[in-house]
Amino acid sequence: MFMAAFACVTALDASPAASPKEVDIVDVSAAFAGRLDKIGNVKVSFTDGRTEVLTKDGCCLKPEVSPAGAVGWIHFRGLGGRDKDMLMNEVLQVRLPSGKTSEFKPESEEGDTLFIEKWGFADGGASVVMKTRSYHGPAGISKYDIKSGKITGNVNGASDELPKWAEPYSDDL
């Protein structure tokens, strides 16, 4: 049902002794003020008291820190849709404790662009789960192994019986 493009790129180095404890969106542009989600750059606070801004383009939202010390966020590549002001939430970026950043881009088997509606870490930070949707139709919920980028689970968001990992992303919530 859903596939994913996966890429791994080198990112900023982190101190091996410090781990991320909090993440926030900063440098919110006036162009995105008033939106439901805070949109800007990803700023991480580490356990040693230091902070670091991981992004520069101001196109990030919904950041999270995993129990394993990874930091993730949705990155959108532009605006579009019917009203030309819908965020094109096409990529989930995850910065690993090693300093590498992995990208997960969901794609449908039909080649439709899928937009990330909701996401989170799973399996103690070893996996990410994304609820995605195209312009029309039901949501899909996919689980990816962070290290390999491979899909390890995939269900329809409107399904009556969801696996435990997919329940927080149900269309019924």
Side-chain angles (χ1 to χ4, degrees):
M1 181 176 181
F2 296 99
M3 304 179 317
F6 174 76
C8 191
V9 294
T10 302
L12 304 170
D13 292 327
S15 166
S19 58
K21 67 176 184 175
E22 292 178 355
V23 66
D24 195 12
I25 296 292
V26 297
D27 307 325
V28 176
S29 163
F32 299 122
R35 289 199 178 247
L36 184 59
D37 289 309
K38 199 170 165 184
I39 300 167
N41 288 310
V42 177
K43 178 181 177 183
V44 179
S45 299
F46 292 89
T47 54
D48 64 1
R50 155 181 85 79
T51 62
E52 185 174 355
V53 177
L54 301 181
T55 62
K56 304 281 185 236
D57 68 359
C59 296
C60 305
L61 64 154
K62 298 185 180 185
E64 292 191 25
V65 176
S66 84
V71 176
W73 60 89
I74 294 172
H75 184 265
F76 70 92
R77 304 271 163 106
L79 301 175
R82 187 181 345 214
D83 300 325
K84 304 292 183 220
D85 98 356
M86 182 177 164
L87 298 176
M88 302 286 105
N89 298 342
E90 300 167 327
V91 178
L92 175 65
Q93 296 181 322
V94 177
R95 182 174 186 252
L96 304 171
S98 67
K100 291 185 177 182
T101 300
S102 296
E103 291 189 347
F104 299 85
K105 182 176 172 135
E107 298 172 0
S108 75
E109 291 177 354
E110 295 81 31
D112 296 332
T113 299
L114 297 176
F115 307 102
I116 303 166
E117 188 174 300
K118 187 175 179 183
W119 82 277
F121 288 103
D123 303 327
S127 302
V128 291
V129 176
M130 288 191 282
K131 178 179 183 178
T132 59
R133 203 180 287 276
S134 65
Y135 284 114
H136 304 285
I141 306 170
S142 300
K143 181 173 149 180
Y144 303 80
D145 176 76
I146 290 177
K147 287 185 181 176
S148 71
K150 294 184 181 191
I151 293 177
T152 59
N154 197 11
V155 295
N156 183 311
S159 177
D160 288 338
E161 292 194 30
L162 294 174
K164 285 276 186 211
W165 61 265
E167 287 176 357
Y169 305 92
S170 167
D171 272 349
D172 296 333
L173 295 179

